[in-house]
């Protein structure tokens, strides 16, 4: 069982996960941000490896990805930066990025590296489910990685059941049909959708992401889910000249 | 060998639908419906009628006599430049707007590079009274002002793509993001044989009218429906796929696809995808694309905005890999000179895209008497500024 699965076995309420882009704001900040986030209460992390054409992302993640790439971030470099990850960080870590970058690195090699540095799973939004089943699943299992699937308000019940069967940690509920970082307040429509998913009694817990930006949206997501994922709002708040300070300042709202 | 799409949405190793879950319901709806709609008798009737009465089809197949004498072969030009709006793009937008109506969509989005597909989309939206939003790179908006004005006059909203390199691939990203944010009432009209399945197949079917007509016209003019060669330029590859479509299974017909070498394939300013690219995933399908070791998409260059794309459609990747098609490239200079040559030999000013296909004639060796069809995919009006600068006109 990987760290992520262990976490969900222990706790299925009020979890807070933070996404950030590797190599942003400075190329060398990746590990420092992870450490600081753990110290300030994050339960697990998603580290984004940047891609030139991130279609599922809004302006904030696009800009951070571009800055990271311009600064020289690559997947090779990210694994290098994460070499000492497990001496410094104990919470579960997911890598998040687009399929072409993984393909060029090599699927087997990518998974092997994830395992080596202590990554627990991946979110690859443009990896098709059929391809995961045929080509990725055996490799993911070999290296004890969890694959995290997304579900949206338009995903059919049949497909959600299938995603549930293929998942072994949690399911990522996209709060509304939007790219990341949209400012849509969680509406009655979204609470109907969260309730509908909760009533399906899936075997996997779920986390809500996209549009979660502060304590209020985090709390409302927590009413229905095991927790929430914050990305754009966190990335937007990072300050190049006061990295630790800006992280603490952002995280303090979530400490009780 | 099967050169067409299989049940899973693949052409050999290429194709598929590499899309985030947010796009899945839309693309899946299209996948389930497109063939049924295209094969519907009523749809076929409407499509055919609009192509005839609105677009002006069939487009002529013209035997270019002086060009033929120069090269020592029978050079036929398939005159897509004479279509309404000046290029082959309208064949696809007519098909897709009718399909969008059948799907009950109220809002149309599109990406555009040079603006030709944007204009063709804005045109059919005006024709059918549908809302139209066109994404265009900020850089392209500046260099293609007349087409921006045409789209606006046609009632479309032109939105600048300000991310990444601010050109065609970024406009495509923005259109996909719009579709993610508007999952119910919107149809995305992709302008080339790229994107997730079923787009490459659907666009190819709409463009296949080009080779369908060519076969008939060749039969009438030469007695033989099969030429020795067909040539077309390739950016994403929609006019080429239309030109190849009905000849693909006729192995005696040699298919030549001409990519843009830009300032030269080794110059760092090129769009010669099959020479410089590797297998990977871009804009929802597995194909060949120009990228770094790390899998980041590389910015292409070509003097012709329509060929300025870092990938090719998955069916082209398959034709290339299997050797069924020959993929070559032509530089900016060669294409501009070929454009001037056609103008002065035949009185036809071609789009610089199409001039790439014409330029390859110069490099071919003919025994004499071969029948060669070149797809003249668009007219050169939009390129006058580039021609003027280059030739000091």
């Amino acid at each position: 069982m990987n760290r992520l699965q262990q976490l969900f076995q222990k706790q299925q309420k009020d979890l807070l996960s933070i996404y950030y882009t590797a190599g942003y704001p400075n190329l060398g900040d990746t590990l420092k941000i992870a450490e600081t986030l753990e110290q300030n209460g994050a339960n697990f992390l998603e580290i984004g490896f940047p891609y030139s054409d991130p279609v599922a992302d809004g302006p904030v993640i696009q800009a951070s990805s571009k800055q990271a790439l311009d600064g020289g971030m690559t997947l090779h470099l990210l694994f290098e930066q994460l070499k000492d990850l497990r001496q410094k960080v104990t919470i579960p870590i997911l890598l998040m990025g687009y399929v072409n970058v993984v393909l060029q690195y090599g699927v087997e090699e990518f998974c092997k590296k994830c395992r080596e540095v202590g990554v627990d799973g991946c979110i690859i939004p443009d990896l098709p489910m059929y391809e995961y089943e045929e080509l990725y699943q055996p490799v993911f299992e070999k290296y004890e990685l969890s694959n995290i699937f997304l579900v949206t308000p338009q995903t059919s019940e049949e497909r959600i059941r299938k995603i549930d069967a293929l998942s072994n940690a949690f399911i990522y509920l996209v709060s509304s049909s939007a790219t990341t970082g949209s400012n849509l307040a969680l509406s009655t429509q979204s609470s109907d959708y969260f309730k509908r998913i909760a009533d399906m009694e899936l075997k996997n817990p779920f986390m809500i992401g996209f549009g979660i930006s502060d304590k209020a949206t985090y709390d409302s997501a927590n009413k229905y889910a095991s927790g929430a994922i914050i990305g754009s709002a966190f990335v937007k708040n990072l300050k190049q000249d006061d990295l630790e300070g800006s992280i603490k300042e952002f995280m303090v709202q979530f400490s009780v | 060998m099967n050169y067409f799409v299989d049940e899973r949405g693949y052409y050999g190793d290429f194709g598929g639908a590499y899309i985030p879950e947010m796009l899945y319901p839309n693309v899946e709806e299209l996948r389930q419906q497109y063939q049924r709609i295209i094969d519907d008798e009523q749809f076929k009737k409407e499509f055919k009628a609009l192509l005839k009465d609105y677009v002006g089809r069939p487009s002529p197949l013209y035997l270019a006599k002086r060009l033929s004498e120069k090269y020592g072969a029978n050079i036929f030009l398939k005159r897509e430049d004479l279509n309404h709006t000046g290029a082959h793009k309208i064949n696809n937008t007519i098909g897709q707007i009718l399909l969008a109506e059948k799907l009950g969509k109220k809002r149309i989005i599109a990406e555009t590079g040079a603006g030709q597909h944007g204009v063709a989309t804005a045109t059919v939206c005006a024709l059918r009274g549908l809302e139209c939003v066109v994404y265009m790179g900020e850089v392209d908006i500046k260099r293609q002002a007349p087409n921006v004005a045409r789209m606006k006059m046609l009632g479309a909203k032109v939105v600048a793509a300000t991310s990444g390199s601010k050109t065609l691939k970024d406009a495509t990203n923005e259109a996909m993001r719009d579709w993610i944010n508007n999952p119910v009432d919107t149809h995305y009209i992709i302008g080339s044989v790229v994107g997730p399945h079923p787009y490459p197949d659907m666009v190819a079917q709409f463009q296949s009218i080009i080779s369908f007509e060519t076969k008939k016209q060749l039969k009438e003019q030469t007695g033989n429906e099969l030429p020795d060669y067909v040539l077309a330029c390739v950016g994403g590859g929609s006019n080429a796929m239309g030109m190849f479509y009905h000849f693909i299974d006729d192995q005696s017909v040699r298919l030549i696809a001409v990519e843009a070498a830009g300032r030269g394939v080794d110059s760092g300013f090129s769009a010669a995808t099959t020479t410089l690219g590797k297998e990977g995933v871009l804009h929802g399908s597995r194909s060949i694309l120009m990228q770094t070791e790390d899998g980041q998409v590389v910015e292409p260059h070509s003097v012709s905005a329509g060929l300025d794309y870092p990938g090719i459609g998955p069916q082209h990747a398959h034709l290339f890999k299997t050797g069924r098609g020959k993929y070559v490239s032509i530089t900016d200079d060669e294409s501009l000179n070929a454009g001037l040559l056609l103008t002065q030999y035949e009185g036809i000013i071609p789009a610089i895209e199409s001039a790439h296909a014409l330029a390859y004639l110069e490099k071919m060796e003919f025994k004499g008497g071969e029948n060669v069809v070149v797809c003249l995919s668009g007219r050169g009006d939009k390129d006058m500024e580039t021609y003027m600068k280059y030739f000091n006109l």
Side-chain angles (χ1 to χ4, degrees):
Chain A
M1 207 183 283
N2 62 42
R3 291 171 203 84
L4 192 66
Q5 293 166 315
Q6 285 168 17
L7 171 67
F8 278 95
Q9 206 172 50
K10 225 171 50 205
Q11 185 182 348
Q12 295 208 358
K13 232 28 231 169
D14 300 330
L15 292 170
L16 175 61
S17 176
I18 301 287
Y19 166 95
Y20 66 96
T21 308
Y24 176 89
N26 298 297
L27 187 60
D29 287 340
T30 313
L31 206 50
K32 186 81 217 159
I33 295 176
E35 279 182 84
T36 314
L37 279 170
E38 176 165 17
Q39 286 156 13
N40 287 277
N43 297 104
F44 68 95
L45 306 177
E46 291 154 36
I47 304 179
F49 48 95
Y51 176 51
S52 53
D53 297 81
V55 290
D57 288 301
V60 174
I61 309 293
Q62 285 173 43
S64 66
S65 299
K66 185 166 192 311
Q67 189 172 325
L69 289 172
D70 289 348
M73 182 46 74
T74 64
L75 193 49
H76 279 94
L77 179 61
L78 176 59
F79 281 128
E80 188 59 33
Q81 291 181 342
L82 295 179
K83 213 174 51 194
D84 301 325
L85 172 71
R86 287 307 170 196
Q87 273 126 53
K88 300 188 168 153
V89 179
T90 67
I91 53 176
I93 303 273
L94 294 165
L95 291 191
M96 182 165 184
Y98 291 80
V99 68
N100 192 50
V101 179
V102 177
L103 269 179
Q104 301 312 316
Y105 196 89
V107 178
E108 172 90 27
E109 191 56 27
F110 172 78
C111 293
K112 194 171 153 214
K113 267 287 181 207
C114 282
R115 174 76 183 165
E116 258 174 50
V117 299
V119 164
D120 304 288
C122 299
I123 307 175
I124 308 172
D126 58 343
L127 173 64
M129 193 196 284
Y130 62 82
E131 187 145 318
Y132 172 74
E133 285 181 271
E134 284 167 30
L135 301 172
Y136 288 64
Q137 195 175 10
V139 194
F140 271 52
E141 281 169 3
K142 179 173 162 190
Y143 295 104
E144 283 191 79
L145 298 173
S146 296
N147 186 50
I148 309 303
F149 291 92
L150 307 186
V151 159
T152 81
Q154 271 74 40
T155 309
S156 69
E157 172 162 356
E158 187 192 354
R159 192 166 162 85
I160 296 172
R161 297 272 175 216
K162 180 131 200 239
I163 285 170
D164 191 38
L166 287 171
S167 300
N168 62 18
F170 73 92
I171 293 171
Y172 192 140
L173 235 63
V174 175
S175 65
S176 59
S177 286
T179 41
T180 57
S182 63
N183 289 321
L184 298 171
L186 300 180
S187 60
T188 13
Q189 223 174 0
S190 45
S191 53
D192 288 349
Y193 152 59
F194 301 151
K195 268 184 231 152
R196 174 165 64 85
I197 304 293
D199 289 346
M200 285 179 71
E201 297 183 355
L202 302 172
K203 79 176 167 74
N204 288 279
F206 58 90
M207 300 279 294
I208 294 172
F210 286 47
I212 311 297
S213 57
D214 53 17
K215 177 78 163 110
T217 42
Y218 168 72
D219 283 345
S220 50
N222 266 323
K223 277 189 232 151
Y224 306 97
S226 294
I229 300 165
I230 300 178
S232 296
F234 173 78
V235 171
K236 203 168 160 180
N237 207 61
L238 283 173
K239 291 199 180 68
Q240 194 156 17
D241 50 5
D242 182 19
L243 193 64
E244 286 190 63
S246 62
I247 295 172
K248 273 181 201 158
E249 187 198 0
F250 185 82
M251 293 297 286
V252 74
Q253 58 182 313
F254 304 103
S255 55
V256 225
Chain B
M1 178 69 71
N2 176 23
Y3 298 109
F4 293 91
V5 77
D6 67 20
E7 275 179 7
R8 301 170 62 246
Y10 280 78
Y11 306 84
D13 296 336
F14 304 107
Y18 296 78
I19 46 169
E21 186 63 29
M22 293 79 93
L23 284 178
Y24 181 84
N26 267 329
V27 173
E28 181 61 14
E29 178 188 30
L30 205 56
R31 189 187 69 80
Q32 287 177 7
Q33 304 284 348
Y34 84 108
Q35 200 59 59
R36 183 187 62 75
I37 293 174
I38 292 174
D39 291 339
D40 176 73
E41 287 305 321
Q42 185 60 31
F43 178 92
K44 280 197 223 169
K45 224 174 102 188
E46 279 179 76
F47 184 48
K48 240 173 123 176
L50 280 174
L51 288 183
K52 177 170 173 282
D53 303 326
Y54 186 70
V55 177
R57 301 203 72 94
S59 67
L61 182 72
Y62 165 68
L63 175 61
K65 291 210 181 64
R66 293 188 63 209
L67 213 58
S68 298
E69 269 167 39
K70 177 176 162 55
Y71 290 120
N74 304 315
I75 312 292
F76 293 88
L77 304 177
K78 182 59 176 163
R79 299 289 310 273
E80 293 300 302
D81 61 318
L82 294 177
N83 292 342
H84 178 45
T85 73
H88 71 290
K89 292 289 185 190
I90 191 97
N91 302 330
N92 170 46
T93 59
I94 294 266
Q96 284 204 48
I97 198 92
L98 293 178
L99 192 133
E101 286 177 350
K102 305 278 180 228
L103 292 172
K105 305 291 180 178
K106 304 278 179 253
R107 180 174 173 272
I108 299 296
I109 56 171
E111 84 295 337
T112 197
Q116 291 303 105
H117 173 58
V119 168
T121 303
T123 299
V124 296
C125 286
L127 177 70
R128 307 301 280 201
L130 290 180
E131 186 189 344
C132 180
V133 178
V134 179
Y135 289 89
M136 188 168 184
E138 201 174 40
V139 172
D140 291 331
I141 286 181
K142 281 188 193 129
R143 57 184 183 189
Q144 306 288 342
N147 272 343
V148 176
R150 288 166 83 193
M151 286 184 269
K152 286 185 178 164
M153 195 167 164
L154 288 159
K157 187 175 157 202
V158 180
V159 180
T162 56
S163 61
S165 54
K166 306 176 175 62
T167 58
L168 177 57
K169 89 178 169 67
D170 309 286
T172 308
N173 293 338
E174 287 306 329
M176 286 186 160
R177 288 179 189 124
D178 180 309
W179 212 18
I180 286 174
N181 285 287
N182 297 283
V184 181
D185 66 339
T186 299
H187 176 70
Y188 177 18
I189 300 189
I190 296 185
S192 192
V193 286
V194 302
H197 175 66
Y199 276 103
D201 183 46
M202 182 171 72
V203 176
Q205 288 189 48
F206 291 142
Q207 291 294 0
S208 71
I209 185 77
I210 300 174
S211 47
F212 179 79
E213 288 174 0
T214 301
K215 260 191 165 173
K216 269 178 50 186
Q217 291 164 321
L218 264 182
K219 175 88 179 164
E220 283 163 19
Q221 294 182 34
T222 70
N224 184 354
E225 64 173 16
L226 299 181
D228 297 289
Y229 297 95
V230 292
L231 281 81
C233 63
V234 174
S238 67
N239 92 81
M241 204 43 72
M243 186 75 250
F244 293 173
Y245 198 90
H246 290 285
F247 296 117
I248 288 179
D249 284 331
D250 296 307
Q251 294 284 344
S252 70
V253 181
R254 275 164 282 185
L255 313 175
I256 300 180
V258 185
E259 295 181 329
R263 296 179 204 164
V265 286
D266 301 321
S267 65
F269 296 90
S270 178
T273 305
T274 54
T275 309
L276 298 169
K278 275 189 309 182
E279 292 180 19
V281 171
L282 177 64
H283 294 144
S285 64
R286 196 186 257 263
S287 187
I288 298 173
L289 57 131
M290 290 165 54
Q291 55 184 318
T292 65
E293 288 271 294
D294 190 45
Q296 310 299 336
V297 182
V298 165
E299 201 44 44
H301 167 85
S302 167
V303 66
S304 73
L307 304 183
D308 206 352
Y309 184 71
I312 49 169
Q315 193 170 9
H316 281 295
H318 183 52
L319 294 178
F320 169 71
K321 196 171 177 181
T322 57
R324 175 66 188 94
K326 183 175 176 183
Y327 286 71
V328 298
S329 65
I330 283 295
T331 65
D332 291 350
D333 289 335
E334 289 166 335
S335 67
L336 289 161
N337 284 310
L340 183 64
L341 186 92
L342 183 73
T343 307
Q344 301 193 336
Y345 269 63
E346 300 288 347
I348 300 169
I349 303 178
I352 301 172
E353 288 80 2
S354 321
H356 280 74
L358 292 162
Y360 193 69
L361 290 170
E362 209 53 66
K363 307 198 169 189
M364 293 172 72
E365 276 176 35
F366 298 109
K367 293 192 296 276
E370 291 99 328
N371 290 332
V372 181
V373 181
V374 182
C375 186
L376 199 65
S377 56
R379 69 177 81 130
D381 307 26
K382 69 181 177 61
D383 295 316
M384 282 317 297
E385 208 181 305
T386 312
Y387 281 131
M388 279 155 70
K389 263 191 211 150
Y390 191 78
F391 294 113
N392 282 320
L393 301 170

